[in-house]
Amino acid sequence: MRTSITKALITAAAGLVLAGAAATPAAAVPQQTRTAAPAVTTATGNITTWIQGNVRKGASTSYDIAYTVTANQQLMGVCWLTGGTVDANGISHNTWVKLSDGNYIWGGLLKGDTKGGITTKC
């Protein structure tokens, strides 16, 4: 009999707790402020070199060399643009990719197409 009374008391207490929670006005529950997520651009992405070459401070060989990359090195491309034409490795074109560090790499050094897969023009 005690077990039945204990179960009844527990059930009644749980019902009171739930009723109290349901009766809490919505205004009393703090609301989190949501901000819009930053826009994600499809311009950036990993690009990979297929051969060693120079990364430059501008989109032409007339700019200083910032650093040299090795074959199969991954870089973060931001966008592509038309710059100085380069004739090297049996390739000739004027497409350059701007990197996340602000420097530029000639598309002839990249795997894939002349833009390394970057789709957005600078």
Side-chain angles (χ1 to χ4, degrees), residues 72-97:
N72 297 311
Q73 186 169 337
Q74 286 197 343
L75 304 163
M76 180 62 67
V78 175
C79 55
W80 67 272
L81 67 152
T82 301
T85 300
V86 177
D87 296 307
N89 308 316
I91 303 167
S92 178
H93 65 77
N94 61 354
T95 304
W96 292 75
V97 174

Side-chain angles (χ1 to χ4, degrees), residues 48-50 72 107 109-117:
T48 305
T49 59
W50 73 273
N72 297 311
L109 301 175
L110 304 176
K111 287 185 178 181
D113 61 15
T114 59
K115 300 170 186 104

Side-chain angles (χ1 to χ4, degrees), residues 41-83:
T41 176
T42 58
T44 62
N46 284 329
I47 57 174
T48 305
T49 59
W50 73 273
I51 193 168
Q52 178 179 330
N54 295 321
V55 172
R56 298 195 174 262
K57 295 184 179 187
S60 169
T61 56
S62 63
Y63 286 90
D64 290 339
I65 296 171
Y67 52 92
T68 300
V69 292
T70 61
N72 297 311
Q73 186 169 337
Q74 286 197 343
L75 304 163
M76 180 62 67
V78 175
C79 55
W80 67 272
L81 67 152
T82 301

